[in-house]
Amino acid sequence: MEKYIIARNYFDGYSTHNSDHVFVINDGMISENYDINGDKVKELLKKDNAVDYRDKFVTPGLIDSHNHFTLTSLKLKYQVNFSSVRSFSQFLEMLENNRDKVIHRWFQGYAINEYDMEEKQLPDRLVIDTVFPDTPVFITQMTEHYGICNSKALELAGVSKETESPPNGKIGRYENGEPNGILYEANAMDLVKKMIPEYDINDYMEAIKFGAGKYKEAGISTVKDMGGTGKDVNEDTRVAALNRLSDEGCLELRVALVLPVYSLEDVKRKIELWKKVHESSRLKFSGFKMFMDGSILSRTAWMRNNYAKPENTDNKGIPLWDIENFRKALGLLSQTGQHISIHTIGDRAIVTALDAIEEVKKYGKSSTYSLVHCYKLDKDIIKRIKTLNVGVETQLAFIYFIGDGLTENIGKEQSRCLFPVKTLMMNSIPVSNGSDSPVTPFNPVYGLYSSIFRKTYTGNHSEIYSGREELTLEETLKTYTSQSSLTVEWDNIGVLGNNHFSDFSIWDKNPSDLGNKLNPWLNMKINAISVH
């Protein structure tokens, strides 16, 4: 049976409109769409299969083009969120109040951010030990590039004063050389993570179903699920769980599945795992992800210039790969023809990735590519991105949530070239927007607001980010719809047009009426629906 969605104020993926319009739905696809006058609307609304959204703002179902959806879902279901913690005392209170959240004999948490805390530093193992002396604890910092653990966790992992930091990772230490419980980057965190009992497939399926409902309530129809960041996600179990949910018709979201590749040895295994994905209208394989560098907050993003803090320290961050192995792995992955996303935050990491892409293209092994995060850009780098036809997966909610911390770590001068998204779009470079959840909340309102106003959480450094690169509402919506569909490489999403999935996001307010204060945006409700 045909169904009808009637809209008045709507954005079709490319531009906004203000006229009565009907979308005709057949078998989950938009088969027709056309303007309609008042009398015909009245006739149409007499039918049981017509829904009137003329008092709402309607867009294509929003796409989060870079999101660790399965990881986020596991955290939502089984771990404790520390994003609201603003001091050591609140941290200890959160631990005390969640003593019952020990799953598989471990306490796990996420989203703690020392830059939001009075002490401006992370609690170390001795602080955690005051509440959990005998139960192992592991909590990730909001970027997921470093984390904290207690003495019991280090003991179980066999990490001691004599343990050397692994390649491309770092064990935090006290002045006497003893580990302080802070572990930087995946190779160091995995020393502890590998000791945590894994969730089984049923745990994954329950978490994914729970997470999908939450995402749709936030207005998201499709996620590009980037997988884990190391030992936090079992990729075989993730693929098996998503396959089963898709096969059983229980996958509420459309999931574009990406497999992370951590080493040259990992390439073959991930290519074999890709071939096990059961593609459907709800599940699609969308390529591979590589991690070139770390995070500015942990001072591991790979930069051309030194970090501003600590002062007078020779630190430009680190690459997370041996560069020759990175080039070889990129070449092998490119032979598959599948999209490749490369995590690059620092300018040196970005240039190194572009060098490798250019080399691969010379030998005819080319795939399609995007740079993920891609913070620090100058005119020459932007020109190379355009010339090489590389896309950018940005997360502009970072400006709000971590913009202050970024500037404190690299200084005001270096910060002025962060996130030049307007310039990228003016150069016709495909730009997609996302949350990188669990790094920032998956609620797209934060990214929408940050794209348009570019304000930081405290406002202390808002002037660094504002005044040059703000997007219009229409440009911002493109980064969550038609532009994101290019990054995801899923032709039937992101546009309200014929032969596209009938995915809609229904907004209870028109965002153009909300102004530049965050609270009205947060009070807006966006709900994602798929009409069948």
Side-chain angles (χ1 to χ4, degrees), residues 24-44:
V24 183
I25 315 300
N26 279 287
D27 297 323
M29 303 289 288
I30 299 174
S31 58
E32 297 180 76
N33 74 101
Y34 49 82
D35 282 344
I36 189 169
N37 64 36
D39 290 338
K40 290 186 177 179
V41 170
K42 290 179 183 177
E43 287 299 313
L44 196 57

Side-chain angles (χ1 to χ4, degrees), residues 10-117:
Y10 68 96
F11 172 80
D12 63 8
Y14 303 108
S15 57
T16 52
H17 302 268
N18 187 13
S19 60
D20 287 356
H21 198 83
V22 61
F23 298 93
V24 183
I25 315 300
N26 279 287
D27 297 323
M29 303 289 288
I30 299 174
S31 58
E32 297 180 76
N33 74 101
Y34 49 82
D35 282 344
I36 189 169
N37 64 36
D39 290 338
K40 290 186 177 179
V41 170
K42 290 179 183 177
E43 287 299 313
L44 196 57
L45 287 174
K46 292 177 182 178
K47 299 183 178 183
D48 293 336
N49 52 343
V51 182
D52 187 359
Y53 287 119
R54 287 178 299 166
D55 62 338
K56 310 293 184 186
F57 183 64
V58 178
T59 67
L62 299 181
I63 304 165
D64 191 321
S65 68
H66 191 91
N67 188 301
H68 300 269
F69 165 66
T70 299
L71 175 61
T72 299
S73 297
L74 291 168
K75 289 177 180 290
L76 287 171
K77 186 73 174 175
Y78 306 118
Q79 300 181 22
V80 177
N81 185 345
F82 284 82
S83 62
S84 63
V85 166
R86 296 294 178 264
S87 65
F88 278 19
S89 61
Q90 288 185 11
F91 172 75
L92 292 172
E93 183 179 1
M94 183 77 78
L95 291 177
E96 286 283 2
N97 292 342
N98 288 279
R99 283 181 174 274
D100 60 338
K101 297 294 175 62
V102 174
I103 306 291
H104 300 321
R105 303 182 302 281
W106 279 70
F107 179 98
Q108 294 188 74
Y110 64 102
I112 190 168
N113 183 14
E114 69 272 31
Y115 294 92
D116 289 340
M117 297 172 68

Side-chain angles (χ1 to χ4, degrees), residues 32 52 74 113 136 144 156-157 182 212 223 242 333 336 395 446 494 510 532:
E32 297 180 76
D52 187 359
L74 291 168
N113 183 14
E144 295 287 316
L156 292 173
I182 304 175
V223 291
L242 287 166
L333 292 172
T336 68
Q395 300 79 33
Y446 290 105
N510 191 321
H532 300 284

